């Protein structure tokens, strides 16, 4: 979590200043929701598909895991917002405006990662590689979940303005 929040600081051009609260939120959501949920999802996928390393079974596993992504990412954004003291309305707006982007980035990162893990990586090394990719992903997810709402509100206003113009024509 510390590495992820530090990398997020660089992305956001804050430098190496460490935000203890952001790290604490990330650890809390990760340990309290993401890790248990992902463990549950992976165990379920293994029970449904089995532990074979064939390409077909790997495609099935990746597909099933992709189905869990909206739940995982919505949960992360929601819990992060609640821990920041945001209103349900503000969290709902953030989910509405950010979830598709977060899912698309997540699919670009995790689908090839999982497919490679299931086909090419021996079981005993999967966790290590998954954790390495997870550090990068957590950095992005932390960034996305903590982005300023000014950008979101402007984006939301533009969308509403376009819809209003369509209705008035």
């Amino acid at each position: 979590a510390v590495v992820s929040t530090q990398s997020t600081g660089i992305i956001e051009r804050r430098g190496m200043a460490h935000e203890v609260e952001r790290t604490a939120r990330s650890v809390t959501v990760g340990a309290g929701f993401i890790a248990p949920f992902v463990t549950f999802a992976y165990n379920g996928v293994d029970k449904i598909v089995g532990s074979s390393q064939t390409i077909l079974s790997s495609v099935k596993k990746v597909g099933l895991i992709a189905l869990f992504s909206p739940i995982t990412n919505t949960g992360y954004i929601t819990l992060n917002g609640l821990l920041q003291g945001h209103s349900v309305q503000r969290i709902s707006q953030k989910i509405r405006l950010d979830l598709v982007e977060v899912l698309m980035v997540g699919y670009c990162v995790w689908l090839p990662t999982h497919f490679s893990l299931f086909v090419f990586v021996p079981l005993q090394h999967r966790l290590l590689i998954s954790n390495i990719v997870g550090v990068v992903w957590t950095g992005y997810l932390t960034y996305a979940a903590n982005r300023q709402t000014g950008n979101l509100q402007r984006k939301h206003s533009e969308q509403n303005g376009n819809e209003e113009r369509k209705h008035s024509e």
Side-chain angles (χ1 to χ4, degrees), residues 93 97 150-165:
Q93 179 184 20
L97 296 174
N151 295 335
L152 295 176
Q153 289 169 344
R154 184 173 54 252
K155 193 172 169 183
H156 185 65
S157 296
E158 290 169 2
Q159 288 173 347
N160 284 343
N162 291 337
E163 287 178 24
E164 288 173 9
R165 278 190 289 268

Side-chain angles (χ1 to χ4, degrees), residues 4-15 136 139-140 143:
S4 293
T5 54
Q6 288 299 107
S7 62
T8 303
I10 293 168
I11 292 167
E12 293 175 352
R13 295 188 173 99
R14 288 185 286 107
V136 175
Y140 168 76
Y143 163 74

Side-chain angles (χ1 to χ4, degrees), residues 68-79:
F68 290 109
S69 293
I71 298 167
T72 307
N73 292 316
T74 300
Y76 186 91
I77 293 168
T78 300
L79 293 171

